[in-house]
Structure formats: C-alpha cells, structure tokens
Amino acid sequence: MVQMQQNEEKDCREIILSESTGDYFIRFDGGIELAQERFQPDCIEVINSKFAVLYYKLSEIEQREFRQRRYRYPAFPRCFTLQDRSSMEAAGINKVHRQPYLDLLGQGVLIGFIDTGIDYTNELFRYADGTSRIVSIWDQTIQTGTPPPRLYYGTEYKREEINRALQSEDPLSIVPTQDESGHGTFMAGIAAGNNDQEHDFTGAAPLSEIVMVKLKPAKRLVREYYFIREDAECFQENDIALGVRYLLDVVRRELKPMVICINLGTNMGGHDGSGVLDQVLNDIADTNWICVVTASGNEAGYRTHYRYVDKDSERFKDVEMRVGSNIQGFSLEFWAGKLQQYYLEIISPSGEISIRVGQREDENEEIRFLFDRTIVFADAISTGMFSGDQLILLRFERPAAGIWTLRCYPRRNVKGYFDIWLPIQEFLWGEMYFLEPDPNITITDPGNTSLPITVAGYDHISGAIYIHSGRGYTRNGCIKPDLAAPAVNVEGPGVNGEFVRRTGTSIAAAHVAGAAALLMQWGIVEENQLTMSSTNIRVLLVRGATRGGRDYPNPEWGYGTLDVYNAFEQLRNTTFDMRIT
C-alpha cells in the first residue's frame, strides 16, 4: 500500500511539473469525489473546500489548440508578477519598538511570504544564538526532496534542516534553496529582519518567525497563451493558491498566528475580487489568527487601463491604443456589468474592420487581418463561475504597429460603463498604452479583494504618493487601497548579505505585514484580543493612519498613511473608554 502511494505521488509530481500538462481550476461544491469522477483528471490538487486544480497530460495537437483558442478562460490560471531606517520611523514602527511598556517585536507571530524564496543564510533571519528564525521553506522549484504533506511537488525544508545547514561549511549542500532575484529576501527583511546597527537597519517585526513559499515559474504553455514576455518573472495562480494552503497548514502545525504577505499582482481578471485566488484569500482573511496583506501594484502611471461611462447613450464608443513595433503578442480584457452588455469591432492600423464579437455569450472567433498580418483570438465568456459580468478576452498575435481601435456598441438600451485592461507592465513586449487612459481602478489583483488589507505606496522622504502606486477604487466600487506605506527608494537586504534599495508597493505591503505582526503579538500572543483577524487589524490601522489636508478615503491613499504607534494610541483610548462605561 505504501509503495502504491509513493508511486502515485511520483507520477503526480511528474504530471504537474511537465511543460505539456494543462492546469485547470474547478469549483467542486458537490464534493471532490464527484469532481474526480466527472472530469477524470490525470492528477488533482485540492486548494480548499471550494476549489481544486485539475492536471491533464496534453498531446502535441492539444497543446497547439491550447495556445490558440480552444481553452476557456477564466477557469485558466492567471499569471502574476512581483510588485516591487527612515521608512520604519515614518510608519511609526520604531516608536513602537522604543516603547518599553509595549515591548512588541513580533514574538510568537509567524509572517508567511509567497515570493521568490529567501537567503536563509543571512544574519538578519537568525536569533542571537545563530539559529534560524525561519520555521520552514516550501521550494516549489526543487524536486529532489520531500514535498509538504498532501502536496505532490517541490521540497519542504524545516527549521531543523536549516539549522544543520547553517552549522555546515557548505550550507547549500544540505538545504539548496536560494533566492536568485532577491525579492523575497528583501520583503522578508523589511517585514521581519533583525536589527543591523552597522547599516542602521531593522525590520518591522524583528522577532517574528518566517515561513517562505518559493514559487516555481509559470509553464511555457501558459506564457504562450497570454503572450507574456519571455524574460518576465511570471507565476501561476494555482501555484500561489497552493502556497496559501501550505501556509495555513503551517499555522495548524505551529499553533501560532500568521500574517500572510502577498507581493504579487496581475491585470488579469475583473478587478473586483472575483478570481479564484481572490476568493481563497477572502475566505481566510476573516479567520481568527490570520491576517492577509496585499500590495496595490505599480500600474497607475503606465496607461494600461481605460474606463468609459455611458452618459449620452452614444451609438458606439471608439477606444484607441498605441501598439509599438516588434510586439510578438498581447492580451487584453474587456469587462462590463451584468446588465451593460457590449459587442466589439476591432479596427486595425490600416483601417480593416473585423466582424463583431460579443453578440452572444460563450462565443470564440479567430480573426485574421489580411493587410496587417495579425491574428486576433476573441472570446466572449460567461463568467458565471465568478461574478457573472461580461468578459471579452482578446489575444493579439503579431500585432501590426500603430493605432488599434476597439469600437464598442451597447447590446441593450441601458446606460452603463465598461473597463479595459492591458497586461501588467512587466508582461509587455514593448510600448503599448491607451491614448485616453484612466489612472484609477489600477490596483492589481489580488489587491481588489475586499477583506485582505491592500496597501498603496508613497515616498516617505518627500511625502508624495508613488507615481505608479495602484489607485482605487475597485471596479465594483469597494474602497481600496486601505492605506499607504513607504515604498520609494527603501533600503533592505539583498542576496549575499548586501544591502540594496528598491521601489514598489510590495515594500509598502511588507511594512504593513510587520506592523500587523506587532498587533497580533499584543492581541493574540499576549491575550489582549484573541479574536484578531484581517478585519479588526485593518480597523486598527485605519483608525491610527495619519491623514493630511485632503479628503479621506480617496483612490490614492485610502484612509491615510501607516502609523502603527498611533494605532496603539487609538486602541488605548478605546480600551479606556470601554472600561469607564
């Protein structure tokens, strides 16, 4: 029996990792056994009680069809990329550290990251006795060791192995996991790094413990389907969702509260919290002992979003976008509400007009532009699995350079609005933007999810908002971001023990993740408020946020800038008021 189980796990590992395997999301409210019987996958990974990932081995013909148009988004996993001492002072974190009556440094709290890995040899992630503060690492890219329980791929390294490696002259011979890009190491350092007096550096929660998921790169099939630039750092939604499941397993194993910090983003999806990863995060964000923090993304200044509001019942609206030379391909998503349905014509730079797409649900077309030598794969998709809104996915293969126009016609005599998003900047092959962009509603998913804490970025030196920080609100009007934190030219640990400077809203999210760990220590570890979750931590941080001379909330700053010390001040005042009543 044990041998059979080992063989099954080995087969599933090979199937899941194969570049010729297709990855599919399903929702299985009827039970996983029924889903297996109905869909007959070659392998299956359960994410939670609602979603699972099915894996199918594809023939060469099926792979070719997969790249073209015969596989239906949105069950297809989306692709995400990275969102890249004075900052701690601006955030009110150092003031908390200096307060002797609080004595909060993150003790007893886990901070979990789903990122590019961690340089576990760095002194910033060790206790004073030299042992590691890293509880465990799940490296999805290494297949030579044992995966975590109930998962088929990657290798899990626990603290005992990491400590043994740190005592060795050649640590990588024992625990070979590395962070090649340095992004995960930097974020872990900002949120949870030790005090380093030589570099005048400290992390926000320097005594918290760390759990890291190192993501494996997206498959070639997925990249080709979305026409993602070859050298872009790109990760699949299903691998991220399984990383979340792993972090929850560690919480159950360690019996400690956790802040989950997700510094990844995508323009794919409805920007309304309806994607699979969004729903997974929403389900856990209101759970006691769990706080989820996400970045708002870095898209506001890149002209990748367009919004139209129908005020005059126009017969049609032309949306123009500039496409540069030598672009191998790109995708865009057109989203409208349940009642405000549209159909589109595509006009090429030479003036050739396509057939209309979107006149009925669940249609797909392959449109060839003769004079521009461009193929467009158009899918009008029913999104009943998610929000029920209208989605038209357009994928351009070898687009001609110049101005492309989408002519948008309302299908019903109902005033409404629609939004269009180009891919996130890191995925584009070159110059591409809307001629009349809207910088709002540019928060990347999963930052549009309602219950997790979404963090924008600002320059703590100048006091200005970071120009590319994703702006709210969400497509359905939910107030996001929640607040802003330092994100511009912030110093932190790189690889090989060096210190580097980075900019991006992921850094802002790391600050807030560390601040949340301090609150969790006070509330859960020290038993002042045992029912802490994302929801009440958000309330505390919003109440304590610094607000200047502008209206709040607003799409750039949310409710203000992070000041965790003031959050404790507000908590003290609230507690006092509660006592005297």
Side-chain angles (χ1 to χ4, degrees):
M1 182 67 70
V2 173
Q3 184 65 43
M4 288 177 61
Q5 183 178 355
Q6 290 175 342
N7 290 338
E8 179 185 349
E9 291 176 355
K10 181 176 181 295
D11 290 343
C12 269
R13 175 184 289 198
E14 293 175 356
I15 290 167
I16 290 170
L17 296 171
S18 172
E19 288 288 343
S20 61
T21 295
D23 303 1
Y24 306 72
F25 279 124
I26 61 158
R27 183 166 185 149
F28 61 95
D29 293 335
I32 193 63
E33 294 81 9
L34 291 176
Q36 285 182 292
E37 183 178 345
R38 177 182 174 188
F39 295 104
Q40 296 291 307
D42 293 303
C43 199
I44 187 168
E45 286 269 31
V46 176
I47 296 171
N48 59 16
S49 60
K50 294 180 182 177
F51 295 105
V53 188
L54 306 181
Y55 299 93
Y56 293 92
K57 294 181 285 187
L58 304 178
S59 67
E60 289 187 12
I61 294 175
E62 288 170 329
Q63 291 177 54
R64 185 163 61 249
E65 292 176 344
F66 185 100
R67 296 187 193 98
Q68 292 172 347
R69 61 185 172 89
R70 293 179 176 83
Y71 181 70
R72 306 313 306 281
Y73 181 90
F76 195 59
R78 296 176 292 175
C79 283
F80 291 71
T81 193
L82 306 171
Q83 308 288 299
D84 245 7
R85 159 163 163 147
S86 55
S87 69
M88 296 297 168
E89 198 69 48
I93 291 169
N94 282 350
K95 203 170 180 181
V96 172
H97 292 176
R98 293 193 297 266
Q99 172 51 259
Y101 297 106
L102 288 174
D103 190 28
L104 299 176
L105 297 171
Q107 297 100 314
V109 180
L110 306 171
I111 304 183
F113 301 88
I114 301 176
D115 215 294
T116 63
I118 188 169
D119 178 4
Y120 69 88
T121 65
N122 195 307
E123 297 285 346
L124 292 178
F125 308 126
R126 303 194 201 183
Y127 287 110
D129 63 1
T131 59
S132 181
R133 290 169 46 227
I134 301 171
V135 172
S136 61
I137 303 169
W138 177 28
D139 190 327
Q140 296 181 354
T141 70
I142 296 178
Q143 312 307 328
T144 54
T146 303
R150 303 185 302 123
L151 289 163
Y152 289 116
Y153 64 102
T155 300
E156 182 183 31
Y157 301 100
K158 295 183 180 178
R159 180 154 30 203
E160 295 77 10
E161 295 172 90
I162 296 171
N163 283 333
R164 189 155 44 88
L166 291 175
Q167 295 169 4
S168 167
E169 294 184 359
D170 183 13
L172 294 179
S173 66
I174 298 173
V175 176
T177 182
Q178 299 182 70
D179 178 12
E180 290 82 3
S181 83
H183 186 273
T185 298
F186 192 96
M187 298 311 143
I190 294 296
N194 287 337
N195 182 278
D196 186 314
Q197 293 184 350
E198 179 183 350
H199 293 90
D200 192 24
F201 174 85
T202 183
L207 288 183
S208 60
E209 295 182 309
I210 298 164
V211 185
M212 176 63 70
V213 176
K214 178 179 178 178
L215 293 167
K216 68 180 180 66
K219 294 180 180 179
R220 172 182 51 82
L221 274 174
V222 178
R223 289 174 173 269
E224 291 178 353
Y225 180 83
Y226 290 120
F227 298 108
I228 291 171
R229 198 180 76 229
E230 289 177 348
D231 60 342
E233 289 193 275
C234 175
F235 309 101
Q236 288 183 205
E237 187 171 17
N238 50 313
D239 292 321
I240 301 169
L242 289 169
V244 173
R245 197 194 93 178
Y246 170 75
L247 294 179
L248 296 179
D249 287 345
V250 175
V251 170
R252 297 183 189 102
R253 185 177 73 202
E254 298 291 320
L255 296 177
K256 294 178 180 179
M258 177 183 283
V259 181
I260 296 177
C261 187
I262 306 227
N263 295 316
L264 303 157
T266 186
N267 265 350
M268 300 172 188
H271 292 68
D272 58 359
S274 61
V276 172
L277 179 62
D278 310 330
Q279 294 185 58
V280 168
L281 294 177
N282 232 27
D283 284 347
I284 67 170
D286 205 27
T287 303
N288 292 338
W289 288 35
I290 301 293
C291 178
V292 181
V293 179
T294 67
S296 72
N298 309 314
E299 287 296 298
Y302 288 117
R303 299 179 285 181
T304 54
H305 170 244
Y306 178 90
R307 163 159 278 208
Y308 171 69
V309 179
D310 180 6
K311 296 179 180 178
D312 303 316
S313 297
E314 296 177 288
R315 192 169 71 87
F316 63 81
K317 177 63 179 178
D318 281 348
V319 182
E320 296 179 315
M321 56 186 177
R322 167 71 182 174
V323 177
S325 303
N326 302 316
I327 303 292
Q328 293 194 21
F330 70 95
S331 63
L332 65 80
E333 296 186 17
F334 175 103
W335 286 84
K338 299 174 182 64
L339 297 179
Q340 298 90 17
Q341 305 283 289
Y342 293 82
Y343 58 84
L344 313 179
E345 292 174 345
I346 306 165
I347 305 174
S348 72
S350 69
E352 191 173 350
I353 302 176
S354 75
I355 62 172
R356 291 179 174 179
V357 297
Q359 295 189 89
R360 63 184 187 278
E361 292 184 355
D362 293 322
E363 70 171 315
N364 54 45
E365 300 288 347
E366 182 179 305
I367 303 166
R368 294 181 178 268
F369 290 88
L370 179 63
F371 297 116
D372 300 274
R373 297 183 178 180
T374 298
I375 303 173
V376 177
F377 303 104
D379 288 85
I381 299 164
S382 171
T383 58
M385 179 178 174
F386 302 131
S387 64
D389 291 344
Q390 181 188 23
L391 165 62
I392 300 175
L393 172 68
L394 301 178
R395 297 185 297 120
F396 291 71
E397 184 176 299
R398 299 187 305 276
I403 304 299
W404 285 82
T405 303
L406 301 181
R407 180 160 289 169
C408 310
Y409 296 86
R411 278 168 50 182
R412 297 182 174 91
N413 188 23
V414 177
K415 291 185 178 181
Y417 64 90
F418 61 78
D419 294 273
I420 311 173
W421 285 275
L422 291 167
I424 200 167
Q425 192 67 24
E426 285 80 357
F427 289 168
L428 295 176
W429 288 86
E431 180 186 56
M432 195 176 307
Y433 55 85
F434 291 111
L435 299 190
E436 296 181 351
D438 183 351
N440 293 323
I441 322 180
T442 51
I443 294 176
T444 54
D445 276 350
N448 296 288
T449 311
S450 60
L451 295 182
I453 301 170
T454 303
V455 190
Y458 79 103
D459 186 335
H460 62 285
I461 302 298
S462 70
I465 197 74
Y466 170 45
I467 187 173
H468 294 303
S469 177
R471 300 184 187 181
Y473 298 135
T474 68
R475 185 171 64 91
N476 55 353
C478 178
I479 295 175
K480 290 286 178 175
D482 295 292
L483 71 166
V488 177
N489 199 30
V490 175
E491 186 176 39
V495 295
N496 302 319
E498 300 174 344
F499 276 78
V500 297
R501 290 187 177 272
R502 286 180 179 260
T503 294
T505 58
S506 55
I507 301 162
H511 280 87
V512 171
L518 303 183
L519 287 165
M520 281 187 137
Q521 179 191 341
W522 176 87
I524 298 172
V525 178
E526 298 183 2
E527 299 185 355
N528 291 299
Q529 188 174 335
L530 291 171
T531 57
M532 274 191 161
S533 66
S534 304
T535 302
N536 40 30
I537 289 176
R538 182 202 296 108
V539 169
L540 291 171
L541 293 178
V542 163
R543 285 178 180 172
T546 301
R547 287 180 266 277
R550 53 178 66 89
D551 293 332
Y552 293 92
N554 62 63
E556 293 86 11
W557 300 84
Y559 288 93
T561 59
L562 173 67
D563 186 339
V564 69
Y565 185 82
N566 195 40
F568 278 104
E569 286 280 3
Q570 297 296 318
L571 189 62
R572 180 178 65 173
N573 295 338
T574 302
T575 304
F576 178 77
D577 289 341
M578 288 173 64
R579 282 202 300 265
I580 63 175
T581 56

